[in-house]
Amino acid sequence: MSVPYVCVTGGTGYIGCHTVVALLEAGYNVLIIDNLSNSSYEAINRIQKITGKNPAFEKVDVTDLSALNLVFMRYKIDSVIHFAALKAVGESSRLPLEYYRVNVGGSINLLQVMDLHGVENLVYSSSATVYGDATRFENMIPIPEHCPLGPTNPYGRTKRTTEDIFRDYSASKPNFSVALLRYFNPAGAHPSGLMGEDPRGIPNNLLPYLSQVATKRRPYLSVFGNDYNSKDGTPIRDYIHVVDLARAHLVALKSLPKGQCKEWNIGTGRGSTVMDVIAAFSKAVGRDLPYKIEGRRAGDVLDLTADPTLITKELGYKTEKTLEEACIDLWRWQSGNPYGYQTEDGEDITPY
Ligand code: NAD
Ligand code: WQD
């Protein structure tokens, strides 16, 4: 009997490829589905280098229902981890329809083929962004799963809508099990230095941007506001090492409560300000990094720190790595691969 596959959509992306490594190391058979719109085929070579194992790969777009169906016909799949999505907050305000088409439409397609092929286990990449500004309530920092949702941008609303769709579908199917993992801020890279985040164009997020300041691709970091109500005036986030985050998917997959839909926060429970991050990453690099204080970025909130205790209580999962380790691993990756999986001219190292 052939061993069934765990199908990982978006498996060549930042969080996906770390999760594929964790799955292969744990002995799972892995099939990656990705359209490579925000990732490179080189990620597969790196996965092979780290694990000595080969995931199966299909270049398929999740918005293409018939292509998805063909993949589910060809492979025996018993569970799905669904990462494939568009994730740039600013872009989602400019291209809301595209975000709904890919993030919501792609998720509906996936459910349809899972339904057709009797696949009943799903782990979904949700986001802390579904909470919006939790400081609008009293006593909701750190943020527990029962905090009322209120995403403040189209990207966040695609994540909340997809959660609703999975929840409603699960309620209609007695054996369908789904974990909605609400990630806080993923950070760092694989400790091997072979795998990490590889943003296309100018990075939107703090650590990817700062790491390009460290390699001198960018002159300085703009700090978006120091007039927040925190110890140094900069916003607070819960940075979780991507290897810890990847492990959460394995724990959820192994322990998915049959027939239930569960929401779990995936964070450390520790909040760090932008200035804390600059200090930790500068220490990892070994020198001070240039930054300028500028105005607030529209849509930013003061504090997004997880209450991560529910998944600890229910599944025994706990993060193990610190922000300092994330910074050391990120610098190993960024200094060894200053252009990620691309050449200086922006060409893929390994075209598909
Ligand atoms: P990523 O962009 O690195 O990975 C997403 C992958 O999906 C990419 O490889 C991309 O090529 C693929 N993809 C995009 N559209 C597709 C389509 N139509 N068909 C097939 N593949 C497609 O992003 P990531 O940071 O690894 O995020 C993974 C998931 O986690 C996303 O769902 C994202 O919304 C969610 N998430 C990310 C963060 C974060 O800060 N990185 C935080 C919370 C949640
Ligand atoms: C962190 C802090 C910025 C860049 C985003 C998404 C969220 C989730 C995770 C997907 C903030 C400050 C940043 C810079 C800065 N993604 N900053 N200068 O906004 O907390 O979360 O990624 O689900 O949905 O919104 O992350 O890394 O962009 O910002 O000062 O150049 O760093 O103001 O306080 P964010 P981020």
Side-chain angles (χ1 to χ4, degrees), residues 60-81:
V60 162
D61 194 307
V62 292
T63 62
D64 184 342
L65 182 62
S66 53
L68 262 189
N69 188 38
L70 280 179
V71 171
F72 275 68
M73 282 165 73
R74 285 187 42 216
Y75 294 83
K76 182 172 158 43
I77 294 168
D78 75 352
S79 37
V80 175
I81 305 181

Side-chain angles (χ1 to χ4, degrees), residues 21 23 32 49 62 67 82 123 150 155 204 221 228 244 291 346 349:
V21 164
L23 288 164
I32 295 175
K49 264 193 192 146
V62 292
H82 181 36
V123 178
Y155 165 72
N204 298 306
L221 174 81
Y228 289 88
D244 271 337
Y291 65 86
I349 299 177

Side-chain angles (χ1 to χ4, degrees), residues 43 60 87 120 126 160 164 179 241-243 264 269 301:
V60 162
K87 63 162 183 177
E120 297 190 309
S126 189
R160 183 187 57 189
D164 285 343
H241 195 299
V242 67
V243 167
W264 284 303
V301 300

Side-chain angles (χ1 to χ4, degrees), residues 128 131 134 140-144 184-185 236-239 265 267-272 302-308:
Y131 295 116
M140 284 291 176
I141 301 286
I143 306 172
F184 282 66
N185 287 51
I236 302 162
R237 297 288 181 271
D238 184 334
Y239 295 91
N265 284 341
T268 67
R270 283 182 303 274
S272 306
L302 164 65
D303 195 338
L304 272 175
T305 303
D307 175 349

Side-chain angles (χ1 to χ4, degrees), residues 95-222:
L95 304 172
L97 286 186
E98 187 60 4
Y99 272 67
Y100 279 96
R101 188 181 76 84
V102 174
N103 296 4
V104 178
S107 299
I108 293 174
N109 281 350
L110 192 65
L111 265 191
Q112 281 183 292
V113 293
M114 289 176 73
D115 189 67
L116 201 62
H117 296 271
V119 182
E120 297 190 309
N121 303 303
L122 175 65
V123 178
Y124 174 60
S125 297
S126 189
S127 169
T129 200
V130 297
Y131 295 116
D133 185 3
T135 60
R136 69 195 190 282
F137 304 110
E138 264 182 45
N139 302 323
M140 284 291 176
I141 301 286
I143 306 172
E145 287 81 354
H146 62 261
C147 178
L149 305 186
T152 56
N153 54 69
Y155 165 72
R157 286 187 279 275
T158 67
K159 290 277 144 182
R160 183 187 57 189
T161 304
T162 305
E163 279 200 2
D164 285 343
I165 291 167
F166 289 151
R167 204 174 286 113
D168 286 344
Y169 178 77
S170 157
S172 77
K173 291 273 165 181
N175 291 322
F176 187 82
S177 315
V178 54
L180 309 175
L181 302 186
R182 294 176 180 158
Y183 316 155
F184 282 66
N185 287 51
H190 194 267
S192 63
L194 289 171
M195 217 165 71
E197 190 166 7
D198 180 24
R200 306 261 160 123
I202 301 172
N204 298 306
N205 300 115
L206 177 60
L207 270 165
Y209 198 100
L210 195 53
S211 64
Q212 293 193 3
V213 172
T215 57
K216 304 207 162 83
R217 271 178 87 177
R218 318 268 162 213
Y220 62 87
L221 174 81
S222 300

